[in-house]
Amino acid sequence: MAARTITTFLDTDLYKLTMHAAVFANFPQAEVVYKYTNRSAQYTFNEDAVKWIREQLKLLGQLKFEDDEIEYLKTEIPYLPQSYLEHLSTFTLKPEEQVYFKAEEISSSNDCYNLHLEIKGKWKDTILYEIPVLSIISEAYFKFVDTDWDYKGQIEQAKDKAEELFKNQISFSEFGTRRRRSNKTQDLVMQGICEAVNESPEQRSKLFLGTSNVMYAKKYGVKPIGTVAHEWVMGIAAITGDYVNANKSSMDYWINTFGSANAGLALTDTFGTDNFLQTFKPPYSDCYIGVRQDSGDPIKYTKKVAHHCLDVLKLPKYSKFICYSDSLNIEKAIAYSHVALENGMKPTFGIGTNLTNDFHRKSQPTVKSEPLNIVIKLLEVNGNHAIKISDNLGKNMGDPKTVEKVKSELGYVESPWSGGNEAHRYAN
């Protein structure tokens, strides 16, 4: 049996734990189906990768929350309900019952397989699979398929990127768990960022907000950072069947669970940002510190949100954040920061894959070793289709007929964007 690459439940994004708490509190009986999608379908797997993935999925059943981990969550995320923390003390995954994994051979001569994976069970029992499963699949690909790379220079590269962000007075978080090249890569990246912070800690610790990965936040003594995922809004829409008011309902449940002081950042693009902004008025605009941008044209988005906040809601300039989190690199972060500031918004950035999966071929250092673009999204809740209609056509998810029906209900208009190639999202 292979050694475990996922060794703790904390090796996940913070928002999975907060959403887990919200699901536990509000929808404990909801039944769900999740589905894995490889948006970069040109990249396939080999037999060794498939075997290793099977082993790692099975090993997830051995995880449990240790007492010190629960105490850490209680201290660092004090708004988590006590009943949820108590639930974690007995929480386990049952991959042999909940995970349906199949490898489809598409070329025996070239040892090529496509992966098919679904996760089924109660929402509260299965929500913690997404991040570890994605990181396992990504690590398998670069462990067994694309092996023309090494770790040389990863600490220095991460440090240099952080230095450039600090030089431009840009606040950011590390968001790279799900598509990291490996567990080790994320550790090296965190080392590099923290080295940069420690060269001028008084100033730079204010700009480096932390990491979405709770395990590495604990290890490096930084803040675990989280917003909310599309899953929350998608799930509530599927449960209620009310897509027009899904954003409102999702914010209501969130605020009722954690309190208005802990609302955080709102994710706007589950059913298109235009629909979200119709709801983003008091009291919601008072509770949430800002919004997260995760699809579509970031510049158009910034202007749209700024108009809503400053002209419609009459809020003071720089009173709300925009957290950009869609396939960023350092150059994009600097450019979008200028746009946000020019439009009266406070910018911050969740930088993921560009930090934890930025490699070049060892044999050809000028050629990029491209990351996978893989996701796991809700497919059904209580037998109802779960869908997403983002600001970028390539990120839409779910049953096509339901997508078209909801587009009509919402008056959603497709808006093409030149940066929306999901098959090669991380090529540059």
Side-chain angles (χ1 to χ4, degrees), residues 65-246:
F65 280 93
E66 303 295 343
D67 291 344
D68 70 300
E69 295 174 340
I70 295 174
E71 191 60 34
Y72 172 80
L73 294 176
K74 184 176 182 179
T75 302
E76 288 296 316
I77 315 158
Y79 51 87
L80 289 174
Q82 180 62 30
S83 59
Y84 171 68
L85 295 171
E86 291 169 1
H87 173 65
L88 293 185
S89 65
T90 58
F91 181 84
T92 57
L93 296 172
K94 297 176 181 177
E96 69 281 359
E97 299 174 15
Q98 297 162 333
V99 179
Y100 300 79
F101 175 69
K102 182 176 73 172
E104 175 193 6
E105 187 175 46
I106 55 176
S107 173
S108 57
S109 60
N110 292 324
D111 190 18
C112 292
Y113 295 82
N114 282 330
L115 307 183
H116 300 274
L117 186 144
E118 289 189 353
I119 299 160
K120 300 178 182 180
K122 281 191 166 54
W123 201 1
K124 69 179 178 63
D125 297 335
T126 57
I127 191 171
L128 295 188
Y129 275 112
E130 178 194 358
I131 306 301
V133 170
L134 286 172
S135 62
I136 285 168
I137 291 171
S138 181
E139 185 159 347
Y141 183 82
F142 293 105
K143 189 178 182 71
F144 297 103
V145 183
D146 179 356
T147 60
D148 187 11
W149 59 275
D150 60 27
Y151 289 109
K152 184 179 179 182
Q154 280 294 304
I155 293 176
E156 294 79 8
Q157 178 175 264
K159 183 178 179 182
D160 288 346
K161 289 179 179 180
E163 295 273 7
E164 189 66 19
L165 292 167
F166 293 141
K167 186 173 74 174
N168 285 275
Q169 294 296 302
I170 289 175
S171 74
F172 71 101
S173 308
E174 186 276 312
F175 268 27
T177 304
R178 69 186 59 214
R179 299 187 189 103
R180 66 191 181 194
R181 183 142 303 204
S182 65
N183 198 329
K184 179 179 178 179
T185 304
Q186 192 166 19
D187 200 357
L188 297 175
V189 165
M190 286 299 298
Q191 286 183 53
I193 294 171
C194 290
E195 283 184 15
V197 171
N198 290 336
E199 289 188 359
S200 183
E202 283 192 18
Q203 177 198 22
R204 293 180 173 184
S205 61
K206 296 174 184 176
L207 293 172
F208 179 53
L209 303 181
T211 172
S212 63
N213 186 292
V214 183
M215 177 182 75
Y216 284 119
K218 185 172 184 284
K219 177 175 180 177
Y220 286 96
V222 300
K223 290 292 292 181
I225 296 293
T227 53
V228 70
H230 299 97
E231 173 182 358
W232 179 243
V233 189
M234 291 169 66
I236 289 173
I239 289 170
T240 62
D242 184 352
Y243 295 89
V244 173
N245 296 300

Side-chain angles (χ1 to χ4, degrees), residues 383-414:
N384 301 322
H385 294 297
I387 65 165
K388 177 163 80 98
I389 307 174
S390 78
D391 293 338
N392 175 17
L393 178 62
K395 286 192 167 188
N396 289 355
M397 303 286 292
D399 175 64
K401 288 184 179 178
T402 306
V403 168
E404 289 307 313
K405 174 190 166 194
V406 174
K407 281 182 180 178
S408 177
E409 283 182 22
L410 301 179
Y412 177 89
V413 178
E414 214 73 74

